[in-house]
Structure formats: structure tokens, C-alpha cells
């Protein structure tokens, strides 16, 4: 019924619909917190985290369907526990990638086992991973709102420690940074952010909200602070443009957001380095944010 309304209405009428307004609000909140999470993913070199958390989220959804609890709440809790659980295995940046690979294998095996043994409809569990942005509810907005406050707040409060950790783990440890506790906290935030974005784009397309804005921001920024600001600005621009374009063309928002973000990343990388330097501000941090 909602799909018929979307197909027959113009853009102005669509923006008056409550589900569309909630979806737009969710994307704006996501644009504040999730691109900063992308900076963490790139800085810690844990690209497999998105796939690992996708499988963990599937396990949480399966458990939710089995127990009758909210599947997305179970996915959030499962991802948060998984993020904290792999941190002790991550003694080095290389160890983070290895831990994520192990987690991904165990999570998908456990999820398939739960689905098979319990007799829960597997298609229903997998369908939640494709995303449903127009079904965003109050709980989803709360999660994204908390991330929008907590993630940038952490970066500002502990910006020196975060910059050191993302630059060199051993140097951070020698400089008195609580590396283990900070790594656990960052991994939990990454895991919860990935799970929180599932309903917006689906787990397979979560890069549009996290990784792609961060990749473009690294090209434009010179310090952790400037990269973070660029990531948020790019996230806002991509989310608003992609969502409005999807509404206008009556296309699925997830793929449109990915293609919009991807086009922007390519455009940024086509800009000559000399031209970029003309508008870059001097680095305000003494250390770069990544290797």
C-alpha cells in the first residue's frame, strides 16, 4: 500500500509522509556518526569487520526470531558483544583482520545451525539483511541518535589517543594510551554502528554509510580532525542526495546511496593533488590519522 503511494506521489508529497520523514531523519543521524566509524575501520585496517558483523547480525536476528524477542535488538546486542569479544585477540593490526575472519566463520555457522535446528523461516531472517529504510522506527532513530552523539564526542574527547592508536598501535602504547580499553570501545562502536545501519541499506550495502565517506575524506583531510569533519560533511551530502534521488526516481534507496557515494569517492580521487592542497587547511594534529 505504501509502495503504491510512493509510486503515484511527487517528491513534495512523498516528503510529507511520516515513513519518509523518519527515513530522512535516520539518514541524517547516520551521516553524523557512521562516517566517523568508517574512519576507524580504515585507520585500524579492519575492512572485514563489515562482513563479520553482517554474519553476527544474522545470528542475532535468528536468535530473536527463535526466542520471540526483537530481531534487530538481538542483532545489536550480538554485534556489541562480538566487537568486545574479538578485542583481546587483536594484539596487532594484523590480528584484527584475523579475528574478524574467525568471527565471521563462527557466526555464520552458528546462525545457520540455529535456523536449521529451530525450524525458523530462514528467508525471513535473511530478508532483514536487505534493509527496509521506510520501516525505520523510534528505536532505530534512538540508536542512530546515540551513535551520532557518542562517536564524534569520543573522537573529540580522546582525539590525541585515537589519533595515536590509528597511526601506530605500539607508539600509542608506549605513549601511555590505554590501547586495550580504547580498542575494545572502538570495536564495540563499529559493531553497533554496522548493526544499526542494517535497516537503512541492508548489511551488504552498509559501506555507503560508513566506509565510502571515510575513503573520500582521507583524500581531502590532513589530520584526524579534518578527516573526521570531511567524512561527516560527505556523509550528509551523500545521504541527502542519494535519498532524494531514490525518491524522485522511485528506485531502492540502498543501491542509490552506494552509487552516489561511490561516484563522489571516484570524483575526489580524480582531483589532482596540487588542486587539493590549495584548499587544505594546515594540519592541526601533530600526527596523521592512518598509516
Amino acid at each position: 500500500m505504501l509502495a503504491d503511494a510512493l509510486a503515484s506521489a511527487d517528491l513534495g508529497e512523498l516528503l510529507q509522509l511520516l515513513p519518509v520523514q523518519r527515513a530522512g531523519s535516520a539518514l541524517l543521524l547516520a551521516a553524523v556518526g557512521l562516517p566517523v566509524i568508517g574512519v576507524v575501520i580504515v585507520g585500524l585496517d579492519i575492512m572485514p569487520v563489515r562482513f563479520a558483523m553482517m554474519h553476527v547480525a544474522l545470528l542475532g536476528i535468528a536468535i530473536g526470531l527463535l526466542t520471540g524477542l526483537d530481531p534487530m535488538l538481538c542483532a545489536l546486542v550480538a554485534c556489541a558483544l562480538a566487537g568486545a569479544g574479538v578485542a583481546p585477540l587483536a594484539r596487532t593490526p594484523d590480528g584484527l583482520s584475523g579475528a574478524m575472519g574467525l568471527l565471521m566463520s563462527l557466526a555464520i555457522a552458528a546462525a545457520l545451525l540455529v535456523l536449521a535446528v529451530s525450524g525458523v523461516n530462514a528467508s525471513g531472517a535473511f530478508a532483514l539483511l536487505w534493509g527496509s529504510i521506510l520501516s525505520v522506527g523510534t528505536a532505530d532513530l534512538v540508536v542512530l541518535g546515540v551513535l551520532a552523539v557518542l562517536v564524534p564526542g569520543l573522537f573529540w574527547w580522546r582525539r590525541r589517543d585515537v589519533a595515536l592508536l590509528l597511526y601506530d598501535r605500539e607508539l600509542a602504547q608506549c605513549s601511555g594510551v590505554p590501547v586495550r580499553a580504547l580498542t575494545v570501545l572502538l570495536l564495540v562502536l563499529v559493531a553497533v554502528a554496522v548493526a544499526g545501519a542494517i535497516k537503512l541499506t541492508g548489511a551488504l550495502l552498509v559501506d555507503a554509510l560508513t566506509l565510502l565517506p571515510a575513503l573520500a575524506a582521507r583524500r581531502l583531510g590532513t589530520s584526524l580532525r579534518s578527516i573526521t569533519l570531511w567524512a561527516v560533511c560527505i556523509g550528509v551530502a551523500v545521504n541527502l542526495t542519494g535519498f532524494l534521488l531514490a525518491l524522485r526516481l522511485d528506485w531502492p534507496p540502498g543501491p542509490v546511496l552506494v552509487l552516489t557515494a561511490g561516484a563522489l569517492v571516484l570524483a575526489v580521487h580524480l582531483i589532482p593533488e596540487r588542486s587539493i592542497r590549495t584548499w587544505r587547511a594546515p594540519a592541526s594534529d601533530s600526527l596523521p590519522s592512518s598509516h
Side-chain angles (χ1 to χ4, degrees):
M1 187 173 181
L2 180 59
D4 294 336
L6 293 177
S8 60
D10 60 26
L11 185 58
E13 293 174 336
L14 291 177
L15 294 177
Q16 300 301 316
L17 299 176
L18 181 59
V20 175
Q21 293 175 354
R22 284 183 173 177
S25 300
L27 286 173
L28 281 177
L29 291 173
V32 177
L34 300 190
V36 184
I37 291 296
V39 174
V40 176
I41 293 174
V42 174
L44 291 178
D45 192 20
I46 50 173
M47 303 297 181
V49 68
R50 299 113 62 215
F51 306 108
M53 291 307 152
M54 177 187 72
H55 292 85
V56 173
L58 177 61
L59 174 59
I61 290 170
I63 293 174
L65 293 175
L66 175 63
T67 59
L69 299 174
D70 185 293
M72 292 310 301
L73 176 61
C74 292
L76 284 170
V77 172
C79 286
L81 293 176
V86 298
L89 302 177
R91 303 301 182 188
T92 65
D94 292 338
L96 285 170
S97 296
M100 290 299 168
L102 173 64
L103 178 63
M104 181 167 53
S105 301
L106 295 178
I108 189 59
L112 293 176
L113 183 62
V114 169
L115 292 172
V117 172
S118 64
V120 172
N121 185 0
S123 62
F126 281 100
L128 292 175
L129 294 180
W130 294 107
S132 180
I133 192 169
L134 294 178
S135 66
V136 168
T138 303
D140 303 299
L141 292 174
V142 169
V143 171
L144 293 171
V146 170
L147 289 172
V149 173
L150 188 59
V151 175
L154 173 65
F155 264 56
W156 177 255
W157 176 47
R158 304 300 294 268
R159 56 189 180 277
R160 176 184 175 274
D161 291 350
V162 173
L164 279 168
L165 177 61
L166 297 185
Y167 177 64
D168 189 291
R169 184 183 178 90
E170 292 183 2
L171 177 61
Q173 195 160 14
C174 294
S175 302
V177 176
V179 169
R180 183 174 299 181
L182 188 56
T183 300
V184 170
L185 179 57
L186 289 176
L187 287 176
V188 169
L189 288 176
V190 168
V192 171
V194 171
I198 285 178
K199 188 172 285 188
L200 300 182
T201 62
L204 296 176
L205 301 179
V206 74
D207 288 352
L209 304 180
T210 55
L211 187 62
L212 295 183
L215 291 177
R218 282 189 56 179
R219 173 75 170 171
L220 300 172
T222 58
S223 66
L224 179 64
R225 184 173 68 178
S226 63
I227 289 173
T228 302
L229 290 175
W230 271 113
V232 172
C233 292
I234 292 169
V236 171
V238 165
N239 287 6
L240 285 180
T241 302
F243 186 54
L244 292 175
L245 186 61
L247 290 176
R248 181 69 180 84
L249 299 175
D250 192 23
W251 288 353
V256 175
L257 287 169
V258 172
L259 292 174
T260 304
L264 193 147
V265 172
L266 290 175
V268 167
H269 280 78
L270 289 175
I271 300 174
E273 181 67 22
R274 184 178 302 177
S275 299
I276 293 178
R277 287 177 180 173
T278 61
W279 71 65
R280 274 178 168 169
S284 58
D285 296 336
S286 59
L287 289 171
S289 62
S290 59
H291 300 287

